[in-house]
Amino acid sequence: DAGVIQSPRHEVTEMGQEVTLRCKPISGHDYLFWYRQTMMRGLELLIYFNNNVPIDDSGMPEDRFSAKMPNASFSTLKIQPSEPRDSAVYFCASSKGTGHYGYTFGSGTRLTVV
Amino acid sequence: KQEVTQIPAALSVPEGENLVLNCSFTDSAIYNLQWFRQDPGKGLTSLLLIQSSQREQTSGRLNASLDKSSGRSTLYIAASQPGDSATYLCAVIRRPGTGNQFYFGTGTSLTVIP
């Protein structure tokens, strides 16, 4: 398996623009998570899905953030409009079941909003 | 809320030394605990997963232990090498049915000096 695949690896955008981050989980994994990592706050859970259904989005910082999982092999995290304080590394992770076998993380998307 | 603490925040050791990284958590009702490694600018690589029924796991020069009653886990690295230099993160996984998410520690930044 190719692991959890995220795209793009790097994204630089201007403040106010829409940003879409993409994630392909490992085939057969039924949980998908979006995390954000910054120096100040470490790793923060934004939202997670089970069988394509959002279960907990309490970590989504503002209404500017939205996430979808239209099918088992694809998820997006969208920021509209983007702000400089959204600059961070965004990770996607997936797992089979409720963590019995642990979690696999993607390589992340480094977002810079200027 | 589960809080995960890692001590020390940074550690510098000469090559060849054995070392221990510490992870403590406040709620002992965990499901699993997973140790990750993160290289600068990279994603998270899973090192070891300890399920709640286990007390330790070993992989090569790495040994991780778990003591749920005391809320502690340790990662032991034998005969450290410069290639071990990275940030090490522990993540506590909640019990199924109570939400499915990690609680990450803030990490220990390890530097192994040749």
Side-chain angles (χ1 to χ4, degrees), chain A:
Chain A
D1 200 313
V4 177
I5 300 173
Q6 291 186 246
S7 64
R9 291 296 304 274
H10 302 273
E11 176 81 32
V12 180
T13 190
E14 292 185 347
M15 183 174 63
Q17 295 298 306
E18 177 179 296
V19 175
T20 300
L21 311 181
R22 296 173 176 80
C23 175
K24 176 179 168 56
I26 290 176
S27 177
H29 282 194
D30 53 348
Y31 282 86
L32 184 140
F33 306 82
W34 282 100
Y35 280 87
R36 177 171 68 175
Q37 186 178 38
T38 61
M39 289 291 292
M40 292 294 294
R41 301 171 71 91
L43 276 157
E44 302 174 280
L45 176 67
L46 300 177
I47 185 172
Y48 77 91
F49 296 83
N50 177 214
N51 291 324
N52 315 336
V53 176
I55 303 300
D56 185 351
D57 65 354
S58 59
M60 297 285 261
E62 299 172 37
D63 291 345
R64 299 183 296 105
F65 286 70
S66 63
K68 294 181 179 180
M69 192 165 185
N71 57 63
S73 59
F74 184 65
S75 177
T76 59
L77 178 67
K78 186 176 294 185
I79 308 172
Q80 166 63 22
S82 58
E83 297 183 4
R85 60 196 169 112
D86 301 331
S87 297
V89 181
Y90 291 80
F91 288 104
C92 176
S94 71
S95 71
K96 182 176 177 61
T98 52
H100 185 73
Y101 302 104
Y103 295 76
T104 303
F105 278 73
S107 298
T109 294
R110 181 173 296 277
L111 173 66
T112 303
V113 183
V114 299

Side-chain angles (χ1 to χ4, degrees), chain B residues 17-98:
Chain B
E17 192 162 297
N18 302 325
L19 59 101
V20 175
L21 307 181
N22 297 292
C23 172
S24 61
F25 45 94
T26 54
D27 185 353
S28 62
I30 71 170
Y31 188 49
N32 294 335
L33 186 143
Q34 194 165 358
W35 282 93
F36 292 89
R37 166 186 175 141
Q38 186 173 29
D39 293 281
K42 304 290 186 183
L44 280 71
T45 300
S46 179
L47 297 175
L48 290 164
L49 170 71
I50 310 176
Q51 296 172 352
S52 59
S53 59
Q54 299 172 325
R55 291 191 63 87
E56 65 178 313
Q57 280 288 325
T58 298
S59 176
R61 296 182 292 109
L62 305 180
N63 176 278
S65 67
L66 174 63
D67 184 344
K68 290 200 302 180
S69 61
S70 66
R72 293 181 183 177
S73 177
T74 61
L75 179 66
Y76 174 83
I77 302 177
S80 59
Q81 302 171 359
D84 295 331
S85 298
T87 297
Y88 291 80
L89 293 154
C90 72
V92 170
I93 304 169
R94 294 170 65 180
R95 285 187 178 280
T98 60

